[in-house]
Amino acid sequence: MFVEEFKKTAGTVWWIMKPIAKSQGKGIFLFNKLQQIAQWKNDFRWKPESPQAEPYIVQRYIINPLLIGGKKFDMRIYCLVTSYTPLTAYL
C-alpha cells in the first residue's frame, strides 16, 4: 500500500521513517526516493543472519508543522463508546 501511495506523489513529498520502540529522534530519517530505503536496509538495519528487522512506521513528513513554544506536539483525543443503541460516546 505504501509503494502505491508513494508513486502517486512522484517524489514531490518527503516521508519520515521512525522506529516504533525508540524515542528522542533516534533512528529517524527522511526520504523522498524508494532507493533511500533500500540503501538504509542494506547499510544499517537489516542483516542476512538476523532477518527480523526492527519495526518502523512510515508517514508523510509535514514540512511546516504547528509548534507550541518552538516544539512539535501531539494532540490525542480519546473517545469512550458505552453503547451502540442508542449511540453514547464521551470525548
Side-chain angles (χ1 to χ4, degrees):
M1 286 181 6
F2 165 70
V3 173
E4 291 174 16
E5 187 65 28
F6 186 90
K7 288 179 180 179
K8 288 179 190 176
T9 63
T12 59
V13 172
W14 282 89
W15 297 84
I16 186 168
M17 197 161 172
K18 302 187 269 187
I20 291 174
K22 291 187 180 174
S23 63
Q24 298 178 345
K26 295 177 183 135
I28 294 175
F29 67 96
L30 299 173
F31 64 96
N32 65 349
K33 296 177 184 151
L34 288 178
Q35 71 187 33
Q36 293 167 315
I37 296 174
Q39 179 182 355
W40 162 83
K41 179 180 163 186
N42 291 331
D43 292 345
F44 299 105
R45 300 288 179 212
W46 189 83
K47 305 287 183 223
E49 63 274 3
S50 177
Q52 290 292 346
E54 182 178 7
Y56 271 68
I57 61 168
V58 177
Q59 61 193 118
R60 267 188 202 192
Y61 182 71
I62 299 171
I63 301 293
N64 295 314
L66 295 174
L67 303 175
I68 295 177
K71 299 183 189 271
K72 291 195 289 183
F73 63 95
D74 291 336
M75 186 172 194
R76 300 174 190 202
I77 301 174
Y78 298 92
C79 179
L80 171 65
V81 177
T82 58
S83 174
Y84 292 103
T85 307
L87 180 62
T88 306
Y90 299 93
L91 286 179

